[in-house]
């Protein structure tokens, strides 16, 4: 169960960090090319060369810092933003006409990468803080607000805040998904444990109650106490208060017990035939064949994954136990295994009186979850279905279907 419930999740922000890493490199190259092709307009080119050289070294040296949220610390973000703002403010020292003619700053669009790092790391509030500082630096560098400057400031401000907000929503969605997966895993584990309790403890208590009542005397009192404990435990299981704790593999896989008459009693350890490779379902179901249970099987092995075979056999055991308890001591049962190309079908049929309409719903309300958990719950976990057909006076038929894709080990 633990292996089936193990989920490997990747943070939704990780692609954003990878994209930011590529953006910073490309933006740095773009800033260098702008200087190379527009070098003539710089009165002090050495200022631009010094800054761009430092920008290139800084960009490549800090690539690991923008690889993920953990390595991208607050100290790095502040230093990175300082580099971007410094480049903006140095622009008029390298280009005397920068204050009077609209043009790009020394870091150019590289500054946006610094702001986006704030957005991805801290959300829209951090993005608003960083973009506001960049806006102030651009206005100081320009000297007076121009149309292009205001346009660029608003564009960076709005886009960074929008991206920061999207990141926050994505994080909230990821937390919700993680919580939902945890709840689903806990629910499945609780249902599995409840099935084990039903297949072992509850069945034994029910048997003790029946045998004690039949024997009379002190045994009757023991049976009455066992019946009270059975009712209490059923209430606990049906209320969902059974803790979803791990139990030993032996208890989880070997707790398949079926109460039958003394001369017909059989037990099966599913692990005995499971091993680590494909398991022949026939070997797990054959011991259920008795003088009152007829087993019909294909001539070739019915190979399933060990876990699926054990769960399917346990569901059959639960169905036969219902026959023993509710169809009467003289009832007969038939097990039919059909090995189809896309699924395995096991049918359990009896010639008992059938199930009255509404009885299953009433049993679930009373905490008797044999059909709901031991049969339908098991098949649902295997990706299969359990269909129960019963006509009063004509017996009951339980059809269990396990699809090949989920329950079968390739031959």
């Amino acid at each position: 169960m633990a292996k089936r419930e193990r989920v490997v999740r990747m943070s939704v922000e990780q692609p954003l960090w990878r994209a930011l890493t590529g953006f910073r490199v490309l933006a740095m190259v773009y800033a260098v090319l702008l200087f190379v092709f527009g070098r003539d307009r710089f009165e002090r080119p050495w200022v631009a060369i010094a800054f761009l050289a430092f920008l290139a070294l800084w960009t490549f040296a800090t690539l690991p810092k923008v690889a993920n949220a953990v390595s991208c610390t607050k100290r790095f973000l502040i230093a990175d933003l300082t580099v971007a703002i410094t480049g903006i403010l140095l622009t008029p020292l390298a280009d005397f006409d920068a204050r009077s003619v609209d043009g790009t700053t020394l870091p150019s669009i590289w500054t946006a990468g610094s702001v986006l790092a704030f957005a991805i790391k801290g959300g829209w509030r951090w993005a608003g803080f960083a973009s506001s500082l960049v806006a102030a630096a651009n206005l100081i560098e320009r000297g007076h607000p121009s149309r292009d400057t205001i346009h660029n400031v608003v564009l960076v401000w709005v886009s960074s805040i929008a991206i920061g907000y999207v990141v926050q929503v994505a994080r909230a969605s990821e937390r919700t998904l993680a919580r939902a997966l945890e709840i689903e895993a806990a629910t499945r584990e609780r249902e599995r444990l409840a099935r084990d309790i039903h297949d072992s403890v509850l069945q034994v208590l029910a048997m003790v109650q029946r045998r004690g009542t039949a024997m009379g005397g002190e045994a009757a009192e023991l049976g009455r106490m066992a019946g009270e404990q059975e009712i209490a435990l059923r209430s606990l299981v049906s209320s969902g208060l059974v803790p979803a704790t791990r139990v030993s593999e032996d208890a989880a896989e070997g707790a398949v017990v079926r109460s039958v008459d003394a001369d017909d009693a059989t037990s099966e350890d599913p692990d005995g035939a499971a091993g680590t490779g494909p398991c022949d379902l026939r070997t797990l179901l054959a011991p259920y064949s008795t003088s009152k249970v007829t087993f019909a099987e294909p001539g070739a092995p019915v190979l399933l994954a060990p876990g699926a075979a054990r769960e399917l056999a346990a569901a059959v055991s639960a169905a036969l136990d219902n026959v023993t308890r509710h169809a009467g001591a003289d009832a007969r049962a038939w097990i039919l295994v059909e090995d189809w190309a896309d699924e395995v079908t096991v049918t359990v049929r009896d010639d008992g009186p059938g199930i009255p309409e509404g009885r299953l719903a009433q049993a679930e309300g009373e905490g008797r979850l044999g059909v709901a958990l031991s049969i339908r719950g098991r098949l649902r976990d295997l990706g299969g279905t359990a269909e129960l057909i019963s006509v009063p006076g004509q017996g009951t038929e339980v059809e269990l279907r396990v699809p090949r894709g989920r329950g079968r080990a390739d031959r």
Side-chain angles (χ1 to χ4, degrees):
M1 182 70 177
K3 293 180 181 178
R4 186 167 65 248
E5 296 295 342
R6 188 180 294 119
V7 180
V8 180
R9 292 181 290 108
M10 182 184 71
S11 172
V12 294
E13 358 174 330
Q14 197 56 42
L16 294 177
W17 288 111
R18 287 199 293 265
L20 178 61
T21 301
F23 175 83
R24 287 167 62 89
V25 174
L26 293 176
M28 181 272 298
V29 173
Y30 178 70
V32 172
L33 290 177
L34 284 179
F35 169 75
V36 171
F37 291 106
R39 182 176 180 177
D40 294 341
R41 68 183 178 89
F42 289 92
E43 286 77 15
R44 294 175 180 170
W46 59 269
V47 175
I49 293 173
F51 173 78
L52 292 175
F54 175 80
L55 183 66
L57 292 174
W58 175 263
T59 300
F60 285 112
T62 58
L63 286 180
K65 289 291 186 178
V66 290
N68 52 65
V70 176
S71 58
C72 187
T73 62
K74 293 181 180 179
R75 181 177 298 180
F76 164 74
L77 287 175
I78 293 174
D80 197 58
L81 186 62
T82 301
V83 172
I85 292 177
T86 301
I88 294 173
L89 297 178
L90 285 176
T91 302
L93 298 178
D95 180 9
F96 294 165
D97 296 331
R99 290 181 177 271
S100 57
V101 179
D102 285 326
T104 59
T105 59
L106 288 178
S108 184
I109 60 175
W110 189 92
T111 304
S114 180
V115 175
L116 290 177
F118 272 84
I120 300 174
K121 173 70 175 181
W124 69 270
R125 291 183 177 86
W126 287 30
F129 168 77
S131 58
S132 296
L133 292 181
V134 170
N138 274 282
L139 293 176
I140 293 174
E141 179 270 333
R142 189 67 178 86
H144 62 279
S146 65
R147 184 181 62 181
D148 288 344
T149 302
I150 294 177
H151 171 78
N152 293 333
V153 165
V154 172
L155 180 61
V156 172
W157 195 74
V158 172
S159 60
S160 62
I161 290 180
I163 292 175
Y165 178 76
V166 170
V167 169
Q168 283 187 271
V169 172
R171 282 178 181 154
S173 300
E174 186 180 24
R175 288 193 297 268
T176 302
L177 175 61
R179 179 58 181 160
L181 291 174
E182 291 174 1
I183 293 174
E184 180 185 7
T187 300
R188 287 182 178 273
E189 177 64 10
R190 185 177 290 110
E191 289 182 357
R192 185 198 62 79
L193 186 57
R195 287 197 299 267
D196 291 339
I197 293 174
H198 177 274
D199 290 343
S200 55
V201 181
L202 290 178
Q203 301 288 27
V204 172
L205 290 175
M207 182 182 67
V208 172
Q209 181 188 21
R210 291 196 302 271
R211 298 288 176 84
T213 302
M215 294 175 63
E218 294 183 358
E221 177 63 16
L222 180 62
R224 184 190 65 80
M225 295 173 62
E228 292 177 353
Q229 294 302 313
E230 179 195 6
I231 294 174
L233 187 54
R234 287 187 186 277
S235 300
L236 185 64
V237 171
S238 61
S239 65
L241 297 179
V242 177
T245 54
R246 296 300 303 165
V247 296
S248 68
E249 290 298 324
D250 291 339
E253 298 176 356
V256 180
V257 179
R258 180 164 59 93
S259 302
V260 294
D261 292 336
D263 55 350
D264 289 339
T266 61
S267 64
E268 173 66 13
D269 180 5
D271 288 337
T276 57
C279 178
D280 187 357
L281 179 65
R282 302 179 307 169
T283 62
L284 297 181
L285 299 183
Y288 295 143
S289 177
T290 66
S291 60
K292 297 178 181 179
V293 179
T294 302
F295 178 48
E297 58 182 307
V302 181
L303 299 181
L304 287 171
R310 288 193 297 268
E311 290 295 285
L312 188 53
V316 171
S317 176
L320 291 175
D321 182 70
N322 286 335
V323 174
T324 303
R325 297 182 60 187
H326 304 298
D330 297 330
R332 294 187 57 82
W334 293 264
I335 303 173
L336 173 62
V337 178
E338 299 174 275
D339 191 6
W340 302 104
D342 57 344
E343 67 179 9
V344 172
T345 302
V346 179
T347 304
V348 180
R349 182 171 60 87
D350 66 71
D351 60 356
I355 303 176
E357 185 177 355
R359 181 67 186 100
L360 291 179
Q362 179 184 355
E364 287 193 35
E366 295 173 354
R368 300 181 179 275
L369 304 177
V371 174
L373 289 180
S374 291
I375 299 178
R376 287 176 179 160
R378 280 190 164 95
L379 270 294
R380 183 183 65 246
D381 287 349
L382 295 176
T385 59
E387 184 177 359
L388 189 146
I389 303 173
S390 181
V391 178
Q394 299 182 24
T396 301
E397 180 176 300
V398 180
E399 188 177 71
L400 311 173
R401 296 176 179 270
V402 176
R404 284 294 189 195
R406 292 290 300 274
R408 183 184 187 227
D410 292 336
R411 297 173 186 244

